[in-house]
Amino acid sequence: MKKDKRVYISIFWIVLGAVLAVMQFGPQHDSYWSGLGIALLAVGVLQLARRIKYHSNEQYRENVDTQNSDERNRFLSGRAWAWAGYLYVMFGAVAIIALQIAGQREISQTISFTVCALLILYWVSYLFLRRKY
C-alpha cells in the first residue's frame, strides 16, 4: 500500500480514542470522555478498514473514484448541505420559540447562538463566493 495520509489520520483517531477510553479507569472517571474515546476508536477503525479496502480492491477503488468525481454526486451533495442548513435554521427557530415558552431560557439562548453563528457563516461565505465567482 502506498503512503496515504488518510491512513495515518485513521491511526491517529484510533490511538486518541484508545487513550480517551482508557481514561475511564483513571481517578477522575468521566463517562463523556470514555464515550468520546470509544466513538473515535470506532471511527478510526472503520476509516482504516475502508482505506485498506480502497487500496486492495480495484473494483471498489474504481467505484469510489467515480463516485467522488461524478458531477451529479457533487451537485446532490451541495444541495443536501443547503437543505440541511436551511432546515437547521427553521427547526432551530421553532425550538427557540418553544423553549422560551417552556421557560428553558438557557437552552433557547444556546440554540439562538448556534443559529446566529450559522447565519453569519452563510453571509460570510456568500460574500466570499460572490467575489470569487
Side-chain angles (χ1 to χ4, degrees):
M1 179 176 6
K2 62 183 178 181
K3 289 189 178 185
D4 184 358
K5 73 176 181 175
R6 292 180 186 155
V7 170
Y8 296 121
I9 292 171
S10 298
I11 293 170
F12 170 75
W13 290 131
I14 291 170
V15 170
L16 180 61
V19 168
L20 290 175
V22 168
M23 286 176 59
Q24 173 181 0
F25 303 109
Q28 298 210 349
H29 169 69
D30 187 357
S31 62
Y32 173 80
W33 294 109
S34 61
L36 179 63
I38 292 168
L40 288 174
L41 183 67
V43 167
V45 167
L46 291 173
Q47 283 182 345
L48 186 61
R50 195 172 69 181
R51 293 313 296 174
I52 290 171
K53 184 176 180 181
Y54 177 83
H55 288 293
S56 63
N57 186 334
E58 182 69 31
Q59 180 66 30
Y60 179 74
R61 182 177 335 143
E62 287 177 16
N63 289 339
V64 169
D65 290 344
T66 300
Q67 191 174 24
N68 289 340
S69 62
D70 184 39
E71 224 175 276
R72 181 176 182 271
N73 282 335
R74 288 179 185 253
F75 171 76
L76 291 175
S77 176
R79 295 297 295 168
W81 273 110
W83 281 24
Y86 178 77
L87 290 173
Y88 179 80
V89 170
M90 292 297 114
F91 288 141
V94 170
I96 291 165
I97 294 168
L99 289 166
Q100 280 290 338
I101 292 170
Q104 299 291 324
R105 301 207 188 295
E106 294 84 14
I107 299 171
S108 175
Q109 188 175 28
T110 301
I111 295 173
S112 297
F113 289 149
T114 63
V115 168
C116 183
L118 183 63
L119 291 173
I120 290 170
L121 284 171
Y122 167 78
W123 179 66
V124 169
S125 300
Y126 177 79
L127 292 176
F128 174 77
L129 291 173
R130 192 173 74 180
R131 280 185 167 232
K132 186 174 180 180
Y133 299 106

